Each structure stands twice: as structure tokens, then as C-alpha cells.
Amino acid sequence: MEKKEQLYEGKAKRVYKTDDPELLIVSYKDDATAFNGLKKGTITGKGVINNRMSNLLMQRLEKSGVPTHFVKELNDRETLVKKVSIVPLEVIIRNISAGSFAKRYGTEEGIVFDEPTIEFSYKNDELGDPLINDYHAIALKLATREEIETIKKYSFAVNSFLQKFWAECGVTLVDFKLEFGKLSDGTIVLADEISPDTCRLWDSKTGEKLDKDRFRRDLGGVEEAYAEVMKRLSEHM
Ligand code: ADP
Ligand code: UDP
């Protein structure tokens, strides 16, 4: 499958058309951004790791009953995916307090919740991805009630799967962001990526951060952290 015209260049990936109107190619970059694009940098090798990791996890999720956009890994950085119309909601699942949750509610990081939480952000860079609830999403016609219920069901299923998977790698899944899209027939599938860019992953023993927070918070050892989680995942496949 060949890359045709570039459809979109995002902060972490480029998206290309193919000969098949139902398929796209995504190409993972080493570019990293944080705080809605205010902080910019490069994480060498990140694109290769995120491509591989996201594809391996999506294949496992597909087997466990969550439909995804994944079709075929083409090379180190490029993957063939099903074209979707993205539901403009960032779905965030949390198992432990961190990041904007801790800030918003004035709690410390690291509090283990009795049950996972779900929240949505309206995917809109100009507005800074504001928090939104399901009623607002329906009012704005971002999704229907039925689609939102499907998205919630899949998101919690992804959490159950990933929590267990990462635990077996000695990694604690703190929180993560998912994006869903609709195929041309309206079917909801998991899209975008699952990687240390989009998940908080802490070493289960030491609590060391093994994700993009090392970049956001200038903690150093960013490349090493991405390589470490990729190594643990590979050893577990
Ligand atoms: P951003 O848009 O936040 O800068 P990226 O750099 O990761 O993010 O760009 C990838 C873009 O491709 C995102 O807007 C994402 O919603 C979109 N996308 C992901 N998977 C698919 C898909 N299967 N079909 C269409 N668009 C997709
Ligand atoms: N996240 C993401 N993209 C975003 C916002 C958040 O992938 O645009 C992920 C982030 O990596 C973390 C989770 O979603 O794993 C929750 O992020 P949070 O709301 O705490 O926001 P942040 O601390 O990044 O402001």
C-alpha cells in the first residue's frame, strides 16, 4: 500500500491517504509537545516505539473484543489503519490521581481509586480541549447517546485489559487517553494511539515515571524511559 497525499500533520503523527478510500497510513514522528503545543521538543526514537507499542496493544485489544482501526504495520514508523471520522472527544480513564485531576481537585498524586473514573475533553485545540460531560457532547452533536455508551463500554474494557497487561510487565497504569472514530458504516472503533505519550506508566516497584511526564516536567531520561517500557512490553509478548 502506497502513501498518497498528506491529509493532516498533527503534533505527533502525519496522516496520508492511500489508493483505498477506506484506509489511511499514519506515520509516527519523534516530535513531542505538551501544554497544548506551548512546549516543543524531540524524543529520539519515540515514533518507532509508539508505532510498535500501539500496534501490539491494539492487536491484543482486538482479540479481547475491542474493535480498533489497526490493519497492518508497514514499517518502523508507518501503519495502515482504517479511516475513521474521529469523534472529537478525548476519553480519559484514571486509576490513580495524577496530572490535571490532582491539580483540579487539589489532591496529591498517587491516590489509588476504588474504581476507575472516566471523563471527556472536547478535542478542540483553539478552546484548549475543555472538559465536557456527555450531555454537553450530545447537545453539541459530537456523538449520540448510543455512541457515547459504546465508547464508555470499550474504554473500561481497554482499562481492564491494559491494567492487567502492564501489571504483568511490572508497570502501573495510572491513567490514559483514548480516541474513537466511526467507520463509513457508523461502527465505533478505537483509533489514534496507545503509547507513553498517551498513558501515565509508573514502575510498579520504584514508582519511577516511564512516560511523557518525564518530558512535560523536565525530569530527564525521556528516551530511556520510552525504551524501558518498550523492552518490558516486548519481553511480555
Ligand atoms: P494531534 O491532532 O493531537 O496533533 P497527532 O499528531 O497524533 O495528534 O495526529 C494524528 C491525528 O489523526 C489526530 O487528529 C487523530 O485524531 C487522527 N486519527 C487517528 N487515527 C485515525 C484514523 N484511523 N482515521 C482518521 N484519523 C485518525
Ligand atoms: N493525555 C493525552 N493527550 C492530551 C491530554 C491528556 O494523551 O491531550 C493523557 C495524558 O498523557 C495522561 C492522561 O491523558 O495519561 C490524563 O491527562 P491529564 O488530564 O492529567 O492531563 P495533563 O496532566 O496532561 O494536563
Side-chain angles (χ1 to χ4, degrees):
M1 189 66 68
E2 246 181 79
K3 279 194 305 222
K4 297 285 174 188
E5 73 180 275
Q6 181 176 299
L7 262 185
Y8 177 78
E9 171 152 16
K11 297 185 285 286
K13 302 189 282 302
R14 293 189 190 90
V15 183
Y16 299 89
K17 283 189 176 176
T18 68
D19 291 330
D20 185 333
E22 306 277 351
L23 298 175
L24 298 175
I25 292 173
V26 292
S27 179
Y28 285 73
K29 306 190 284 183
D30 286 350
D31 297 358
T33 64
F35 314 118
N36 199 19
L38 245 56
K39 183 180 168 83
K40 288 193 179 71
T42 303
I43 302 173
T44 306
K46 169 172 89 78
V48 174
I49 289 175
N50 288 6
N51 182 41
R52 197 85 246 276
M53 186 178 293
S54 192
N55 292 342
L56 290 170
L57 293 174
M58 287 211 191
Q59 286 172 83
R60 289 295 181 97
L61 284 166
E62 192 87 51
K63 278 191 196 146
S64 82
V66 178
T68 78
H69 72 166
F70 176 81
V71 177
K72 186 173 187 271
E73 188 167 301
L74 300 175
N75 58 52
D76 263 9
R77 288 183 185 267
E78 294 177 341
T79 295
L80 191 64
V81 299
K82 293 175 188 162
K83 179 183 181 161
V84 300
S85 139
I86 290 284
V87 176
L89 294 172
E90 298 197 335
V91 184
I92 294 169
I93 299 271
R94 302 177 191 271
N95 297 304
I96 297 177
S97 66
S100 70
F101 181 97
K103 197 169 171 211
R104 189 182 321 126
Y105 301 120
T107 68
E108 53 186 317
E109 295 200 312
I111 298 165
V112 179
F113 302 150
D114 291 339
E115 52 178 86
T117 69
I118 189 164
E119 73 210 42
F120 302 106
S121 291
Y122 178 19
K123 199 172 144 60
N124 182 318
D125 282 339
E126 269 137 66
L127 299 177
D129 298 342
L131 201 59
I132 190 172
N133 72 27
D134 16 0
Y135 292 93
H136 295 158
I138 293 164
L140 292 169
K141 302 200 191 305
L142 307 182
T144 65
R145 166 58 61 196
E146 203 190 356
E147 287 163 355
I148 290 176
E149 293 312 322
T150 303
I151 286 171
K152 283 186 185 170
K153 182 183 76 178
Y154 288 156
S155 298
F156 284 118
V158 169
N159 186 47
S160 302
F161 173 85
L162 288 181
Q163 231 185 348
K164 182 166 173 285
F165 181 91
W166 281 120
E168 287 160 4
C169 302
V171 171
T172 302
L173 178 64
V174 175
D175 58 28
F176 57 94
K177 182 266 300 179
L178 299 176
E179 290 182 27
F180 291 87
K182 284 190 283 182
L183 300 178
S184 55
D185 68 358
T187 309
I188 297 275
V189 302
L190 179 62
D192 206 49
E193 67 176 280
I194 305 175
S195 71
D197 272 16
T198 63
C199 302
R200 283 196 170 91
L201 302 167
W202 294 352
D203 182 283
S204 305
K205 283 209 190 90
T206 65
E208 191 191 351
K209 295 184 188 350
L210 299 172
D211 57 60
K212 198 171 150 188
D213 270 348
R214 301 207 72 84
F215 169 78
R216 293 190 190 100
R217 304 179 186 189
D218 295 317
L219 299 176
V222 188
E223 279 87 359
E224 291 79 359
Y226 277 68
E228 177 63 24
V229 276
M230 188 61 221
K231 176 172 159 266
R232 293 200 199 174
L233 179 141
S234 304
E235 285 166 0
H236 192 66
M237 294 309 286

